[in-house]
């Protein structure tokens, strides 16, 4: 059984994961409309968002594996 704190953390991470997915979509759209200068800035932000998503996914997986 999942403890209250673990469930709350999983729910929080899932929400953050979903929010970041939407942000990445928005960034990709902005990149497609932007100039080369904004491309460089947006590309860095996209890389950061992807890294954070990967971190969240690993944390979620770790939490779920701990509960098995």
């Amino acid at each position: 059984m999942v403890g209250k704190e673990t469930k709350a953390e999983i729910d929080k991470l899932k929400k953050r994961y979903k929010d970041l997915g939407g942000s990445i979509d928005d960034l990709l759209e902005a990149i497609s409309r932007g100039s080369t200068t904004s491309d460089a800035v947006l590309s860095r932000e996209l890389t950061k968002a992807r890294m954070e998503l990967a971190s969240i996914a690993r944390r979620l997986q770790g939490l779920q594996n701990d509960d098995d």
Side-chain angles (χ1 to χ4, degrees), residues 2-16 59-60 63 67:
V2 178
K4 280 186 176 183
E5 287 181 24
T6 301
K7 181 168 178 7
E9 181 68 14
I10 288 172
D11 290 345
K12 180 177 141 186
L13 288 170
K14 284 181 179 179
K15 182 183 181 326
R16 182 70 178 140
R59 289 170 51 200
L60 277 171
L63 286 170
D67 292 334

Side-chain angles (χ1 to χ4, degrees), residues 24-54:
I24 287 174
D25 290 341
D26 293 345
L27 278 170
L28 289 172
E29 183 179 328
I31 287 171
S32 70
R33 291 182 280 125
S35 68
T36 56
T37 304
S38 63
D39 281 355
V41 173
L42 292 172
S43 183
R44 284 193 301 270
E45 292 303 313
L46 180 59
T47 299
K48 283 194 243 178
R50 285 181 174 154
M51 288 172 39
E52 187 172 349
L53 273 174

